[in-house]
Amino acid sequence: MKYFVLSILLLFVTFGGFSQPKKNCDEKRTIHIVVEKDLWPFEFVNEKGEPDGFDVDMFKAVMNRAGYKYKMSVTSWDKVLLSGDSINGDMSIALYYSEKRAKQYLFSTPYGTIPMALISRRSDDFKTLDAIKSKRIIMKHDFLYNLAVASGMTNIIPTNSIEDGLRMLSDKKADAMIANEYTCRYLMEHKDIKNLTWHPSPFETISYCFAVKTCDSKLLNSINEALNSMMFDGTYKHIHNKWFSSYEGGYKFPHWIITVICFAIILIIALIGFTLHFRFRLARMTKNILKEKELAEKRDNMKSAFIANMGSEIRAPLNAIVGFAQLVGTIDDPQERQSYVDELESNSTTLTSLVNGILDLSKIESGTTHFTYSDFDISYVCHDMFDSEQTTNNNKDIQYVLELSEEHLDVYSDMQRIAQVTQILLKNAKRFTEKGNITMRTERSDNFAKVSVIDTGVGIAENELDNLFQRYFRTDENKSVDGTGLNLSLCRAIIVVLGGEIGVNSKPGQGSTFWFKIPLK
């Protein structure tokens, strides 16, 4: 709609204009204009020190199309004000039309518009003209300022620079500001003026034109013809969108640019995906390596502790055997000699059991041990092991309890190995229980026979349960009790070979339940 209205105006001006020419000045020549240096995005000096902006691009395009050479000078707004209504140079760009000015200049059709904005601090956020009637209002000393004064507005603070006005408002030296929306939004964004906000101004959008001296009717006609052709061939739209698309959303990217951007986005996403996948894999590998390293270090520490502990465990019965063997031949008293023989047998049994345990575990883990399978009643085996431990119990504060869910529970497994595991679990329960109960329970669980040994001993910390069946591992409570940390790992190795599983449930101070399950058939 905007472009249609401007097209109609261009046709009108082409055949008449706002004012009738008086006489012609010189033939085609170099046209000189003066450009304001800090009215972004309309007129300003760019990083190269050259005039730039929407009005500058429009002037260049019109001059090129009309066949005129041109030159531009830069000045500040205060110097523009000093010139009053006189044109600096051969013509003026971005000049507002008024009846007074129409008596002195010839105006082209409007080629640009400036939307006005009401600026305030975020803490105030004024949105209407009524809200600022009694407030101190900053305005640039231009055509809008004159309109405001003529309309009876008071408390107006004039400024020659929109940036200076915004900073005055930011520093609370005024209450609001009415100014060019685009320039204000640009300065608020790029000049670090963050505490201000804006709303559309109650004043109408202002249109502006090119203006020439009254003697330059030929120049005016050339300008209007150029504007008219620029409107219809898309040049005007291109220049307009170049400078205002970020504010109006009017610029359309060429299809090839959109295609390149889409391809680049897809490529970037693919690269990001590949990078993330690689990083995740690397992180997982690193985590696994660190976990393996930690596990290896833990095993090494446990192995060192096992070797040190085994040295002590083996040395004690070995020293006893050597010592009593040397003494037994020197004793004449038969009763005393027999006591030495008994000690020799006891320590020999302990040493043999210890060495057998080490060899058993090594053979099982290496797969060289032969297991003998047969049908047998696991309830009978558990009853037998239970009676044996109960008979050797000298602690009257411990009560042994046997719970057999079935009188006969037949399984197909290695009876000697099941008896070995059961005996180890019962002995462990006895070692860590000072008073209370030790209960052995057998039951059928799906296609498995389940054996549980339940005690009311010291219990085990939760963070130690996962490592309990590892070789050489000993709990903090276990370190004060004699042992090698080998028996539970031996139990686990046996049960795994028999196709079952073994586990423990425990809480510190509440006792432990060690259990294992083996297939019925």
Side-chain angles (χ1 to χ4, degrees):
M1 185 65 184
K2 179 192 298 182
Y3 300 126
F4 176 76
V5 173
L6 288 175
S7 300
I8 297 300
L9 289 171
L10 280 169
L11 289 172
F12 169 74
V13 173
T14 302
F15 296 100
F18 282 116
S19 216
Q20 294 299 322
K22 294 181 180 179
K23 61 177 181 178
N24 289 333
C25 293
D26 299 333
E27 294 298 323
K28 288 189 177 181
R29 61 198 185 277
T30 299
I31 304 298
H32 173 235
I33 64 167
V34 177
V35 178
E36 190 175 345
K37 67 178 182 180
D38 56 2
L39 189 63
W40 198 99
F42 301 93
E43 306 168 35
F44 63 96
V45 176
N46 62 24
E47 296 176 351
K48 297 180 180 179
E50 301 171 347
D52 207 349
F54 170 73
D55 294 329
V56 173
D57 280 358
M58 283 296 297
F59 170 73
K60 290 179 179 178
V62 168
M63 291 295 102
N64 289 332
R65 189 157 298 199
Y68 285 94
K69 296 180 181 179
Y70 59 85
K71 65 178 180 177
M72 295 178 284
S73 302
V74 178
T75 188
S76 58
W77 183 248
D78 53 351
K79 292 182 179 179
V80 173
L81 289 176
L82 288 176
S83 65
D85 270 338
S86 61
I87 293 179
N88 292 307
D90 296 306
M91 60 178 286
S92 177
I93 60 176
L95 196 64
Y96 307 122
Y97 174 84
S98 70
E99 292 183 1
K100 178 182 177 181
R101 287 175 174 172
K103 296 176 182 179
Q104 298 176 297
Y105 313 117
L106 303 178
F107 284 85
S108 73
T109 187
Y111 70 89
T113 58
I114 298 181
M116 307 309 294
L118 173 59
I119 317 297
S120 64
R121 288 181 292 276
R122 294 183 185 276
S123 57
D124 298 327
D125 199 14
F126 299 124
K127 299 180 181 179
T128 64
L129 192 59
D130 290 337
I132 61 172
K133 275 186 176 179
S134 60
K135 305 297 183 181
R136 297 170 298 166
I137 305 170
I138 299 173
M139 285 189 178
K140 187 175 180 182
H141 203 306
D142 58 10
F143 181 65
L144 180 64
Y145 172 82
N146 296 332
L147 285 178
V149 172
S151 67
M153 291 184 64
T154 58
N155 298 326
I156 299 176
I157 303 173
T159 180
N160 291 334
S161 166
I162 293 180
E163 181 177 352
D164 292 344
L166 290 174
R167 295 199 181 280
M168 288 172 61
L169 180 59
S170 177
D171 295 338
K172 299 184 179 181
K173 296 178 181 179
D175 301 307
M177 181 175 179
I178 297 176
N180 169 356
E181 175 193 325
Y182 296 162
T183 304
C184 288
R185 288 171 63 182
Y186 173 82
L187 293 172
M188 288 162 59
E189 180 181 352
H190 292 84
K191 299 294 184 179
D192 198 30
I193 307 175
K194 303 298 184 183
N195 65 332
L196 302 182
T197 186
W198 69 276
H199 294 284
S201 167
F203 290 101
E204 294 182 0
T205 297
I206 299 172
S207 299
Y208 57 83
C209 318
F210 290 114
V212 301
K213 297 174 182 178
T214 55
C215 64
D216 262 345
S217 59
K218 183 177 180 181
L219 175 59
L220 178 67
N221 290 335
S222 298
I223 291 173
N224 283 329
E225 289 174 3
L227 284 173
N228 190 39
S229 63
M230 287 167 59
M231 181 63 67
F232 286 101
D233 69 9
T235 304
Y236 175 83
K237 184 177 180 180
H238 174 75
I239 296 174
H240 183 275
N241 289 342
K242 171 185 174 182
W243 292 102
F244 303 126
S245 61
S246 60
Y247 300 105
E248 299 176 351
Y251 181 68
K252 301 287 185 181
F253 282 101
H255 292 299
W256 69 271
I257 293 181
I258 296 175
T259 302
V260 171
I261 291 174
C262 290
F263 178 77
I265 291 173
I266 293 172
L267 181 61
I268 291 171
I269 292 174
L271 288 174
I272 291 174
F274 175 78
T275 303
L276 290 176
H277 176 70
F278 177 76
R279 290 183 65 180
F280 285 148
R281 288 194 60 185
L282 183 61
R284 187 166 54 190
M285 290 173 60
T286 303
K287 183 178 180 180
N288 290 338
I289 291 172
L290 291 175
K291 188 175 180 179
E292 291 294 330
K293 179 175 179 284
E294 182 181 355
L295 184 60
E297 290 176 349
K298 187 180 292 185
R299 286 176 177 172
D300 188 58
N301 291 337
M302 288 191 295
K303 186 175 181 180
S304 298
F306 168 76
I307 292 173
N309 190 46
M310 287 303 298
S312 175
E313 293 291 329
I314 294 174
R315 190 180 297 114
L318 191 60
N319 287 339
I321 291 171
V322 173
F324 284 115
Q326 291 175 346
L327 291 174
V328 72
T330 64
I331 302 301
D332 295 329
D333 183 15
Q335 187 175 357
E336 185 178 0
R337 185 186 299 113
Q338 185 60 44
S339 66
Y340 284 5
V341 171
D342 293 340
E343 288 293 337
L344 279 169
E345 290 179 353
S346 174
N347 283 278
S348 297
T349 302
T350 300
L351 183 59
T352 301
S353 175
L354 185 60
V355 173
N356 284 339
I358 297 172
L359 294 176
D360 267 355
L361 181 59
S362 298
K363 287 181 179 180
I364 291 172
E365 289 184 342
S366 64
T368 58
T369 298
H370 176 69
F371 282 73
T372 304
Y373 289 85
S374 63
D375 291 311
F376 65 92
D377 182 359
I378 195 171
S379 296
Y380 171 79
V381 174
C382 289
H383 197 300
D384 188 42
M385 291 298 102
F386 178 83
D387 288 342
S388 176
E389 285 301 316
Q390 188 178 29
T391 302
T392 58
N393 175 41
N394 296 321
N395 188 345
K396 295 181 179 180
D397 292 329
I398 297 177
Q399 181 73 28
Y400 277 79
V401 179
L402 179 62
E403 298 177 357
L404 303 178
S405 63
E406 299 181 28
E407 186 175 353
H408 298 287
L409 185 56
D410 293 331
V411 297
Y412 182 76
S413 192
D414 189 321
M415 185 174 66
Q416 295 299 324
R417 293 297 183 181
I418 294 298
Q420 184 180 4
V421 172
T422 304
Q423 185 180 43
I424 290 174
L425 296 183
L426 283 169
K427 287 184 178 297
N428 263 10
K430 179 180 177 180
R431 289 169 65 197
F432 295 101
T433 304
E434 295 181 358
K435 61 180 180 178
N437 299 327
I438 294 177
T439 302
M440 172 170 275
R441 178 183 300 154
T442 63
E443 57 189 319
R444 186 188 299 268
S445 177
D446 296 328
N447 295 321
F448 291 85
K450 183 177 181 181
V451 178
S452 303
V453 177
I454 308 163
D455 65 60
T456 57
V458 295
I460 304 167
E462 183 178 357
N463 64 332
E464 295 181 322
L465 293 177
D466 291 339
N467 296 318
L468 199 59
F469 293 95
Q470 299 293 329
R471 290 183 70 173
Y472 322 126
F473 181 78
R474 301 182 71 193
T475 65
D476 291 337
E477 293 82 1
N478 196 0
K479 290 176 182 176
S480 61
V481 181
D482 291 340
T484 61
L486 199 62
N487 285 334
L488 289 179
S489 57
L490 178 60
C491 290
R492 179 180 178 275
I494 292 172
I495 296 300
V496 168
V497 172
L498 294 177
E501 56 180 302
I502 188 169
V504 59
N505 304 315
S506 183
K507 289 186 177 180
Q510 298 182 21
S512 305
T513 299
F514 284 85
W515 55 268
F516 67 87
K517 295 193 296 185
I518 58 170
L520 294 173
K521 294 294 182 180

